[in-house]
């Protein structure tokens, strides 16, 4: 039995010479250094960026982005994609997005130069699993989840694509109504099933009904 975190660590240890992970204090120090280096480029955060509490808050912001599977590169691409729509209509918001993007890129470059980030481990392991066929021919069981983060989904996709058999267990009322308390579960099942079908992988359902008796 493995959690995503434990399995990610094992794959990284097997297929990659990963650097020592940075702890929270180290991340805050690196964030302060990153902000200091690009301070003159910041438009929205220029006046507050060097205040003591800014670095920890920005580190938390970056952590939320990473947890959602949004890398520095993808965030930068998104900001560039909305430039024409936001630059003139919402200049204040666009300036903040640009500042966050610049800070994220500077921070990530400094961090990855000397350390690894545990928040990146699942995404990193997903790439390694796909590259090395880590689950080729394996039988995999996934249980205990109602939904998955973006990075966890990216991890599961190569597992589904290459494993001999993948069984995912969910608790649901098997209804599609938006009022169902299992709406999130049902959406997750649909997402995984759609991926499997696009990859020409057969999808089988096995319903077990639980009663009060």
């Amino acid at each position: 039995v493995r959690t995503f975190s434990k399995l990610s660590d094992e794959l990284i240890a097997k297929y990659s010479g990963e650097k020592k992970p940075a702890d929270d204090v180290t991340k805050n120090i690196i964030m302060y250094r990153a902000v200091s280096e690009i301070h003159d480029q910041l438009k929205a955060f220029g006046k507050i960026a060097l205040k003591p509490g800014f670095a920890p808050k920005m580190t938390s912001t970056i952590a939320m982005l990473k947890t959602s599977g949004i890398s520095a590169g993808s965030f930068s691409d998104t900001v560039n994609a909305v430039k024409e729509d936001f630059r003139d209509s919402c200049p204040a918001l666009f300036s903040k997005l640009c500042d966050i993007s610049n800070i994220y890129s500077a921070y990530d470059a400094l961090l990855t130069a000397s350390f690894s980030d545990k928040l990146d481990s699942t995404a990193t392991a997903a790439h390694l699993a796909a590259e090395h066929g880590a689950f080729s021919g394996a039988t995999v069981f996934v249980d205990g989840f109602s939904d998955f983060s973006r990075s966890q989904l990216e991890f599961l996709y190569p597992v589904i694509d290459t494993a001999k058999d993948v069984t995912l267990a969910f608790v649901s009322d098997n209804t599609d109504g938006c009022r169902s308390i299992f709406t999130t579960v049902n959406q997750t099942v649909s997402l995984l099933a759609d991926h499997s079908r696009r990859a020409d992988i057969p999808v089988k359902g096995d319903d077990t009904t639980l009663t009060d008796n």
Side-chain angles (χ1 to χ4, degrees):
V1 178
R2 299 287 190 276
T3 63
F4 274 102
S5 178
K6 178 65 175 177
L7 187 54
S8 295
D9 288 344
E10 291 178 358
L11 289 171
I12 290 171
K14 182 175 182 179
Y15 296 115
S16 173
E18 192 75 6
K19 303 180 182 72
K20 177 183 177 181
D23 57 24
D24 291 342
V25 173
T26 301
K27 290 180 181 179
N28 286 335
I29 292 173
I30 292 174
M31 177 60 75
Y32 185 82
R33 179 184 167 191
V35 171
S36 298
E37 289 185 358
I38 66 168
H39 176 255
D40 292 340
Q41 303 174 31
L42 303 179
K43 297 179 179 179
F45 298 139
K47 294 181 179 180
I48 64 172
L50 296 181
K51 290 187 176 181
F54 183 80
K57 289 182 179 179
M58 189 53 61
T59 303
S60 297
T61 299
I62 301 305
M64 287 190 290
L65 290 171
K66 288 193 173 190
T67 301
S68 299
I70 303 173
S71 66
S74 62
F75 189 79
S76 178
D77 290 342
T78 300
V79 172
N80 288 328
V82 301
K83 181 187 299 183
E84 297 302 323
D85 295 328
F86 281 70
R87 182 172 52 188
D88 295 327
S89 61
C90 304
L93 175 59
F94 184 68
S95 292
K96 289 181 180 180
L97 290 174
C98 288
D99 282 1
I100 293 173
S101 179
N102 289 333
I103 292 171
Y104 191 176
S105 295
Y107 167 79
D108 200 53
L110 289 174
L111 178 67
T112 56
S114 302
F115 299 93
S116 64
D117 189 345
K118 291 290 288 183
L119 293 173
D120 295 327
S121 62
T122 302
T124 299
H127 291 300
L128 291 171
E131 180 181 354
H132 295 278
F135 295 94
S136 180
T139 299
V140 180
F141 294 87
V142 182
D143 189 17
F145 294 89
S146 59
D147 64 351
F148 301 99
S149 68
R150 174 68 178 274
S151 58
Q152 287 172 340
L153 282 172
E154 294 297 329
F155 187 100
L156 284 174
Y157 290 154
V159 176
I160 292 172
D161 293 345
T162 61
K164 177 183 178 182
D165 185 68
V166 179
T167 301
L168 299 106
F170 298 96
V171 176
S172 173
D173 56 5
N174 200 30
T175 62
D176 297 325
C178 62
R179 298 176 65 85
S180 169
I181 62 172
F182 297 104
T183 297
T184 299
V185 176
N186 296 336
Q187 290 173 342
T188 300
V189 172
S190 295
L191 191 65
L192 293 166
D194 288 345
H195 171 83
S196 299
R197 294 188 184 101
R198 286 194 299 270
D200 293 325
I201 298 172
V203 179
K204 300 178 181 178
D206 183 9
D207 296 340
T208 300
T209 302
L210 303 180
T211 66
D212 294 334
N213 298 325

